[in-house]
Amino acid sequence: MKELRIKLFSYDPSLLEQTVKKIIVIANDTNCTLKGPIPLPTRCEKFTICRSVHVNKPSMEQFERRTHKRLIILSNTNPQTIESLKHLSIPTAVEVQIKL
């Protein structure tokens, strides 16, 4: 079978690492070749908001949102690997993209 590319996105790095560990355990149990987890660049978004609309124009507040990403490549997968990945419980704060 072809290789699976699993991309994981999350704002919380600890939840992301927990999910990566679960995928690594599944990969080791089903005897498929594992590459990764490869850390991808963290996306940092900054937002600047004025505190008051009319008065005190220089008074501004800044917020930051970081998106942490990981890539896992599974090759030599078998149907048991795919079935185990389907039944994996992933936290709602982690987004997963799977490509064949």
Side-chain angles (χ1 to χ4, degrees):
M1 191 168 218
K2 293 184 178 180
E3 65 181 20
L4 285 175
R5 291 178 173 262
I6 303 172
K7 263 189 177 179
L8 303 163
F9 306 90
S10 179
Y11 298 126
D12 186 6
S14 62
L15 284 177
L16 187 66
E17 292 303 321
Q18 289 174 5
T19 307
V20 165
K21 287 178 184 176
K22 289 179 186 178
I23 293 174
I24 290 172
V25 167
I26 288 174
N28 291 335
D29 289 345
T30 57
N31 297 327
C32 61
T33 309
L34 174 73
K35 292 181 187 174
I38 303 166
L40 299 175
T42 302
R43 183 177 180 199
C44 183
E45 296 175 282
K46 293 183 181 178
F47 305 98
T48 305
I49 298 173
C50 292
R51 288 187 185 190
S52 65
V53 183
H54 302 291
V55 191
N56 297 330
K57 182 73 174 174
S59 175
M60 296 187 176
E61 209 171 353
Q62 284 194 333
F63 299 99
E64 180 178 277
R65 181 170 66 184
R66 293 176 181 257
T67 306
H68 302 275
K69 305 174 201 171
R70 298 288 183 276
L71 175 66
I72 299 173
I73 301 171
L74 300 175
S75 54
N76 299 331
T77 58
N78 51 27
Q80 182 185 4
T81 307
I82 295 171
E83 194 64 32
S84 298
L85 288 173
K86 283 182 183 177
H87 295 297
L88 177 66
S89 63
I90 298 173
T92 55
V94 178
E95 183 182 336
V96 179
Q97 289 181 350
I98 299 176
K99 291 185 182 179
L100 291 173

